[in-house]
Amino acid sequence: SFSSFSSLYFDPLCMCQYYPYTEKAAAIEENTIKLVQLYEQKVMEKLTDSVYLKQLMEEGYSQPDFSITTLAMKLGVGDTYMSHLFKRSMGVNFSDYLWELRLAKSKELLVQTQLSINEISEAVGYTIVSSFRRKFKQETGITPSEYRSKHSQDGNPPETT
């Protein structure tokens, strides 16, 4: 994608270097505006691509400080704008999507591993285990331990390899 930017970027630089500014000011301004518009278009394409947003969420959900601000900074936009675009693209707000992702991953870890509840809490981005346990029970109606017992075969989680 650099090729789409290169002439818009390098042409004004060359004009600045080889011509008096007064002579090429309009051309420099025109190229600069086009460059900004092209950049905004590329950012919008990425932001409205739910597959890309899902990928970013998969990469960041386990970080305790992962937030809409983190996502916005990664994409070079403001928090409010990111929040609006996320909701438009994903159909749900950021915090709800993040919790659903963390909940799904924690359920998976509860059934497929022998990790402790504390380890699972940390693995899905919670540093305060009691907050994780409370939110898990609020959403599922049972504690993480009860979930593990109920969904593991014969009450024992499978052996890890």
Side-chain angles (χ1 to χ4, degrees), residues 141-159:
I142 57 177
T143 66
S145 298
E146 291 169 335
Y147 183 90
R148 173 176 272 163
S149 294
K150 184 176 180 179
H151 291 88
S152 297
Q153 293 179 337
D154 63 52
N156 296 316
E159 294 294 321

Side-chain angles (χ1 to χ4, degrees), residues 39 43 47 71-78:
Y39 173 76
V43 167
L47 291 178
L71 196 57
M73 286 174 47
K74 187 171 231 160
L75 296 169
V77 297

Side-chain angles (χ1 to χ4, degrees), residues 1 97 100 112 117 131:
S1 73
Y97 188 91
E100 289 299 323
Q112 296 179 0
I117 306 302
S131 295

